[in-house]
Amino acid sequence: MLKEYLIGIDIGGTKMEAGLVASSGKILLRRKVKTPLKCTKKEFVLSVVNLVRELIAEGDISIKEISGIGIGIPGVIDPVHGKVLLITNLPLTGINLATELRKSFKVHITVGNDANMAALGEHRAGLGRNAHNIVNISVGTGVGGGLIIGGKLITGSFFAGGELGHMIIQMDGPKCTCGKKGCLEAFAGRWAIEKEIRAAVKKGEKTVITKYGQGKLKSIKSRLLKKALDKHDPLVTRVIKEASKALGAACVSIMHIVDPEYIILGGGVIEACGDFMLPLIRKAAESDPFLSTVSGCIIAESTLGDDSIILGAAAAASPDR
Ligand SMILES: [Zn+2]
């Protein structure tokens, strides 16, 4: 039997999505479920196993036709062994996800950081297809990053490379989830944007967000931010402008370090608010006098969206990679 398919899985803080990927790189079929959060490691693994089984059943194929399964998750991963070294929002720290899944599926299994997988996806099937050096920035609840240098994914000597969200943008700036101050994520991650809006509302500032969210500001989804931007809401506009400026500053640093052909931005915040943010990000990056003379780097929004993780994970799991 020909092994002609790959499976790519994007495991996020709210949903997990698996895609059946053809050797041509096309996603043929997909299945999405809610990420189980309040469960044991064993139960979590079982839910991933079930997701794969359901996808295979729906595709009416056999596991024998699958040549590899790749997984992208938001944490620090040892991609050589498939071990989850550190993850804050899923019950998986310390687990060897590849070994666990191999008990159910006797195929090649690769596990990697989701933003790294997204960078691979962009390099295989997105804007960075023919490029040597590309950088991916995923702006969602947090901010992730992935570096492709000389056509290769760079994860560093201790697998913590490419964590662009924790690049310091402002010394002694706002506190970040990692314990440092002034990280990119503390300006541009959705949690930071939400925090800023909540603090301003507490001080008495008005925003249409309270109306849309029926006064509740517990969670402000990206599409609500977009709605507020469309209404020219002053508070949301100011906060998103600051986030964009921080991303622009990050792009300048990235261009100085890597000098890539593309910096590709994706993630929920960019998907919703990219039209507003990208021109500001580019403007901040273009203000660098040195780079504006020598760099031809293109800063662009991902054309693949979340599919970049599925496609990148599938590519990473390909045995002939
Ligand atoms: Zn940080």
Side-chain angles (χ1 to χ4, degrees):
M1 198 174 278
L2 260 178
K3 286 183 181 290
E4 49 188 334
Y5 305 106
L6 289 157
I7 289 177
I9 310 177
D10 167 17
I11 299 182
T14 50
K15 52 131 184 120
M16 340 195 255
E17 186 169 11
L20 183 69
V21 182
S23 51
S24 62
K26 195 168 173 249
I27 301 177
L28 303 171
L29 196 66
R30 54 180 85 226
R31 188 156 179 88
K32 188 155 72 169
V33 293
K34 254 175 113 175
T35 305
L37 295 174
K38 288 185 183 108
C39 64
T40 63
K41 286 176 184 161
K42 217 173 148 185
E43 286 164 344
F44 196 101
V45 172
L46 187 64
S47 63
V48 179
V49 168
N50 287 337
L51 178 66
V52 173
R53 286 199 175 130
E54 283 162 17
L55 185 76
I56 291 173
E58 214 175 312
D60 199 20
I61 54 168
S62 140
I63 186 71
K64 293 196 175 94
E65 292 171 81
I66 304 289
S67 57
I69 301 173
I71 300 156
I73 65 173
V76 181
I77 317 295
D78 164 358
V80 178
H81 303 100
K83 193 174 173 187
V84 181
L85 301 176
L86 182 70
I87 188 161
T88 51
N89 54 357
L90 296 174
L92 291 174
T93 296
I95 197 172
N96 190 314
L97 199 51
T99 308
E100 290 303 320
L101 291 174
R102 229 169 267 132
K103 288 177 189 166
S104 300
F105 307 110
K106 308 278 178 262
V107 297
H108 182 68
I109 294 177
T110 306
V111 184
N113 170 274
D114 56 353
N116 283 176
M117 293 299 164
L120 264 182
E122 295 293 348
H123 188 245
R124 284 292 170 103
L127 286 172
R129 245 185 334 265
N130 298 314
H132 296 288
N133 306 308
I134 68 166
V135 175
N136 167 68
I137 310 179
S138 301
V139 190
T141 310
V143 177
L147 311 173
I148 303 276
I149 297 178
K152 286 206 157 43
L153 178 68
I154 304 294
T155 53
S157 304
F158 308 101
F159 314 121
E163 284 288 351
L164 303 174
H166 302 288
M167 160 163 51
I168 293 175
I169 295 295
Q170 187 187 93
M171 275 170 71
D172 298 319
K175 214 171 163 198
C176 183
T177 49
C178 70
K180 290 202 304 282
K181 282 179 176 178
C183 297
L184 171 62
E185 185 172 305
F187 291 92
R190 192 164 52 82
W191 67 260
I193 294 170
E194 288 181 45
K195 194 174 142 217
E196 204 58 34
I197 293 171
R198 264 186 235 118
V201 168
K202 218 174 160 189
K203 279 189 198 152
E205 216 171 314
K206 295 268 177 285
T207 167
V208 292
I209 294 270
T210 37
K211 198 171 80 193
Y212 294 142
Q214 283 106 35
K216 285 183 213 131
L217 291 173
K218 216 174 136 221
S219 163
I220 307 168
K221 299 278 176 225
S222 300
R223 61 173 189 278
L224 260 191
L225 296 171
K226 164 70 174 153
K227 249 173 126 175
L229 283 176
D230 287 345
K231 295 271 175 212
H232 305 288
D233 183 79
L235 171 58
V236 173
T237 303
R238 189 181 76 229
V239 175
I240 297 289
K241 267 188 181 169
E242 275 305 297
S244 307
K245 257 169 74 182
L247 284 162
C251 287
V252 169
S253 293
I254 291 166
M255 284 151 82
H256 277 296
I257 299 166
V258 180
D259 191 21
E261 287 124 291
Y262 284 95
I263 297 177
I264 301 168
L265 290 113
V269 173
I270 296 290
E271 263 179 53
C273 309
D275 289 352
F276 180 85
M277 296 175 79
L278 258 291
L280 296 171
I281 296 168
R282 284 193 199 105
K283 196 175 156 202
E286 282 161 8
S287 67
D288 185 293
F290 174 80
L291 291 170
S292 58
T293 319
V294 298
S295 178
C297 176
I298 295 166
I299 299 174
E301 189 176 336
S302 169
T303 52
L304 298 174
D306 276 354
D307 283 356
S308 62
I309 302 175
I310 290 175
L311 290 168
S318 168
D320 35 76
R321 189 177 165 251

